[in-house]
Amino acid sequence: MTSTAPSTDTRHSASSPEQRPSWQQRLRRYGYTAKPRSDVRDRLVPPYTEPSPRLWATLGVPPALSDRINRWSGWGGPLLVTLLAGLLRFWDLGNPKRVMFDETYYAKDAWGLIHRGFEVNWDKNVNDLILKSDGNVPIPSDPAYVVHPPVGKYMIGLGEWMFGFNPFGWRFMTALLGTLSVLILCRIGRRLFRSTFLGCLAGTLMAVDGLAFVMSRTSLLDGVLQFFVLAAFGCLIIDRDKARERLAAALPPDADGVVRPDAHVAETTRFGFRPWRWAAGLMLGLAIGTKWNGLYILVAFCVMAVLWDVGTRKVAGARHPYEAVIKRDLGWAFLATVPVAIFTYILSWTAWILSPSDGTGGYYRNWAATEGKGGSWTWLFPDWLRSLWHYEHAVYEFHVNLHSPHNYQSNPWSWLVLGRPVSFFYESPAPGKDGCPTDAGEQCAREVLALGTPLLWWASCFAVLYVLWRWLFRRDWRAGAIAGAIAAGYLPWFMYQERTIFFFYAIVFLPFLCLAVAMMIGAIVGPPGSSERRRVAGAAGAGVLVLLIAWNFIYFWPLYTGTAIPLDSWRSRMWLDTWV
């Protein structure tokens, strides 16, 4: 009898445990059907919603055409909304042919800046001469003390350089940036909600908001600031999507082809070069270079971006997402935003820095060589930097001590309910003059009132509460992003209760109020999967609200454009006593 080595039984080792069919697969032969397994890619990169085939069938649109519409609507819809906004903003832009409110500062500062490299002192009575001569006036050479950085005035000056030193010229760039803001908001809303409809709705709401309209047709700095803030937010939203797409691509699928969370991949994957985050740093630097309250936006957006990275890695399966973000992302996130913003801000002062330091250059340009001369450590820093620092300190002292009363100043508590709008321009033409009807019977009223569309702003009060609830109790990051952006532009003003501040500062966070209202309207329409009756009722309610907002904008159109109307018609539009 021959002895043989025991043979290996391969009946149970033909496949490793990872390769063996799961118990759900074994039960399929008996008719078991497992629920669809969730794919983490759908959480990292949610798909965009599209109109249902039933809607296209009801409208009689063939499938080939509906596919083409869906494919092009991502840009086609926002561009149509932007066209509407542009037509509204550029129509009769040079009217009223007046120097309205703070245009008396910024229009002239911009003209001096693009010709001298720094702001200059103008004669107090030069406004009438500018209007009568279409801007053909001599430019002074004496430097002027100004309290805002130059970026916004450079933007205004660009329009003056192209179209002249006249109302159309100094309003052109604010109108252009206001129009582009609508396009950016449509695209942001589309990415945020994964819905072209809601994105276009948010843009449409901004297109017909009175405050956004008036600020787009007036050469003030706040509209420019709002553009850069919105652009920075859009860059960060795109950066978030790109990072999540990269992490989703790095996660390996399982045997069923489903991507599951993976702690190792989620914690060790590097996102690489993130150009959109660097672009956000540039936009934030330009925002700060327009007005200093962009600093609050910089801090809030940087915190928001880091928290988004934490959420990204957590969804992908990271057990220690904060630690992973600190190791992999925090350093680069800081470098891409804060230093870039600071460098951009300093670069915006280049013309002032290069101006002569012998007293013929910009204001305080010669401070280091005169009053600031001497000291133990002055050799460490160049004169231009010390002079600039002194200038900035003087401006800071001005801002924190600005307590001069003004007829149109307001407390931020009243902003959302439109407690005290600002009248940029008012006159009372007699019948037959300046557009006043000859049969008016009495003097007319012409006014440009920086007033938000009332029904939109009052609806936004409820929308803010909705997004806060959605963020706190549903942990919806979209609601948190909207609420965070509103807070960044709004809450800092509550620290300056004694300072002279105005309602039109709210233009900075207006786009995010529009996003909040769009999100609330989306909830009114109903989530996907709702019954037909629920969707029809919701769509009807939402449609009525949007139409009322549009009607409200049309009703107040004369007060936004300086159109002459009978005094009784003007009084009928003063819904609150504080608007007068």
Side-chain angles (χ1 to χ4, degrees):
M1 184 174 179
T2 305
S3 174
T4 59
S7 61
T8 303
D9 190 347
T10 60
R11 288 176 296 176
H12 300 292
S13 59
S15 60
S16 63
E18 292 80 3
Q19 295 173 324
R20 295 176 187 174
S22 63
W23 63 270
Q24 291 100 331
Q25 289 176 312
R26 291 196 182 99
L27 291 176
R28 284 175 187 166
R29 67 189 67 176
Y30 302 107
Y32 171 82
T33 302
K35 294 181 179 179
R37 303 176 69 183
S38 61
D39 194 315
V40 74
R41 287 177 298 193
D42 291 336
R43 295 180 60 199
L44 286 170
V45 189
Y48 286 87
T49 58
E50 295 182 354
S52 66
R54 183 175 180 181
L55 173 63
W56 294 123
T58 303
L59 296 175
V61 178
L65 180 58
S66 65
D67 290 342
R68 187 174 303 171
I69 293 174
N70 289 336
R71 190 164 55 251
W72 288 96
S73 63
W75 276 103
L79 287 173
L80 286 175
V81 176
T82 305
L83 177 62
L84 168 66
L87 291 174
L88 292 174
R89 281 151 178 76
F90 280 97
W91 176 83
D92 201 16
L93 182 60
N95 184 51
K97 191 177 181 180
R98 301 288 190 277
V99 179
M100 298 192 301
F101 201 66
D102 281 352
E103 285 186 340
T104 189
Y105 303 116
Y106 304 130
K108 292 181 291 189
D109 285 348
W111 190 245
L113 198 61
I114 63 174
H115 285 87
R116 301 289 190 207
F118 51 87
E119 297 86 348
V120 296
N121 265 321
W122 294 86
D123 185 87
K124 292 183 178 179
N125 300 316
V126 76
N127 287 350
D128 290 338
L129 180 60
I130 292 172
L131 294 172
K132 290 178 181 178
S133 66
D134 198 32
N136 294 315
V137 295
I139 304 172
S141 57
D142 295 335
Y145 174 68
V146 295
V147 295
H148 291 298
V151 171
K153 287 167 280 189
Y154 274 124
M155 300 303 295
I156 295 171
L158 183 59
E160 294 173 335
W161 175 70
M162 291 187 291
F163 299 102
F165 193 26
N166 52 63
F168 181 86
W170 64 62
R171 295 169 190 163
F172 176 81
M173 285 305 296
T174 53
L176 178 62
L177 295 181
T179 302
L180 292 177
S181 294
V182 172
L183 175 62
I184 294 173
L185 185 62
C186 288
R187 294 291 297 176
I188 287 174
R190 182 176 182 270
R191 279 188 177 270
L192 202 64
F193 304 126
R194 283 320 201 236
S195 167
T196 300
F197 167 74
L198 290 181
C200 290
L201 175 61
T204 302
L205 293 174
M206 186 171 172
V208 298
D209 176 70
L211 180 62
F213 177 80
V214 170
M215 295 300 289
S216 296
R217 292 167 57 88
T218 313
S219 62
L220 270 63
L221 301 181
D222 301 85
V224 181
L225 172 62
Q226 173 245 286
F227 171 80
F228 289 128
V229 168
L230 187 61
F233 186 81
C235 290
L236 290 175
I237 288 289
I238 297 174
D239 173 75
R240 178 185 182 274
D241 280 357
K242 298 297 183 183
R244 292 170 80 91
E245 289 172 4
R246 187 167 300 178
L247 190 53
L251 291 170
D254 62 12
D256 295 330
V258 177
V259 173
R260 296 290 189 176
D262 187 298
H264 176 73
V265 173
E267 293 178 359
T268 60
T269 299
R270 293 186 180 275
F271 295 130
F273 182 67
R274 302 171 73 166
W276 287 104
R277 183 163 284 184
W278 292 81
L282 174 63
M283 293 297 108
L284 290 168
L286 293 172
I288 300 168
T290 301
K291 292 189 78 171
W292 276 5
N293 50 314
L295 283 166
Y296 295 110
I297 308 291
L298 170 67
V299 173
F301 281 12
C302 286
V303 172
M304 193 182 303
V306 170
L307 292 178
W308 289 349
D309 283 348
V310 171
T312 296
R313 294 189 181 275
K314 188 175 181 180
V315 169
R319 296 190 179 93
H320 306 287
Y322 287 95
E323 182 179 341
V325 167
I326 291 173
K327 287 182 177 179
R328 313 285 180 188
D329 307 319
L330 189 59
W332 286 109
F334 175 82
L335 289 175
T337 49
V338 178
V340 170
I342 294 174
F343 177 77
T344 303
Y345 178 81
I346 296 175
L347 192 65
S348 71
W349 286 89
T350 298
W352 180 91
I353 293 170
L354 296 178
S355 68
S357 59
D358 58 0
T360 62
Y363 200 88
Y364 276 140
R365 179 61 185 87
N366 65 335
W367 178 86
T370 54
E371 296 98 316
K373 192 174 182 179
S376 302
W377 303 97
T378 55
W379 59 273
L380 284 173
F381 305 100
D383 283 357
W384 68 265
L385 183 58
R386 294 196 299 117
S387 296
L388 181 59
W389 180 263
H390 178 75
Y391 196 172
E392 301 290 59
H393 181 265
V395 169
Y396 172 78
E397 291 293 329
F398 170 85
H399 283 304
V400 297
N401 295 303
L402 181 60
H403 305 311
S404 303
H406 194 284
N407 286 337
Y408 289 102
Q409 71 183 69
S410 60
N411 192 286
W413 286 107
S414 69
W415 288 359
L416 290 183
V417 294
L418 306 178
R420 183 60 170 164
V422 183
S423 180
F424 285 172
F425 163 79
Y426 183 88
E427 65 179 18
S428 300
K433 295 183 178 180
D434 293 330
C436 183
T438 55
D439 58 350
E442 58 177 342
Q443 287 183 321
C444 290
R446 290 186 69 199
E447 183 171 27
V448 175
L449 186 65
L451 169 72
T453 302
L455 292 184
L456 173 60
W457 281 75
W458 295 339
S460 74
C461 296
F462 297 98
V464 169
L465 294 177
Y466 171 71
V467 296
L468 287 173
W469 170 81
R470 184 108 190 156
W471 175 47
L472 292 173
F473 296 100
R474 294 293 184 89
R475 312 307 299 169
D476 190 328
W477 78 272
R478 303 168 302 173
I482 296 170
I486 293 173
Y490 187 24
L491 296 185
W493 292 112
F494 286 91
M495 298 188 294
Y496 303 99
Q497 293 290 314
E498 302 301 322
R499 188 183 182 278
T500 307
I501 54 180
F502 300 94
F503 162 68
F504 62 80
Y505 296 170
I507 187 66
V508 175
F509 61 87
L510 166 65
F512 307 103
L513 291 180
C514 294
L515 287 172
V517 174
M519 190 173 189
M520 182 180 71
I521 289 176
I524 293 173
V525 172
S530 300
S531 66
E532 185 174 350
R533 178 177 297 180
R534 166 71 178 84
R535 299 282 273 187
V536 169
V544 169
L545 176 59
V546 173
L547 289 175
L548 285 175
I549 291 172
W551 164 83
N552 209 204
F553 174 74
I554 296 170
Y555 179 71
F556 283 96
W557 174 266
L559 300 188
Y560 298 143
T561 57
T563 302
I565 55 176
L567 206 55
D568 285 341
S569 297
W570 176 84
R571 292 193 188 101
S572 69
R573 288 165 171 81
M574 295 294 105
W575 287 1
L576 301 179
D577 293 339
T578 54
W579 292 3
V580 179

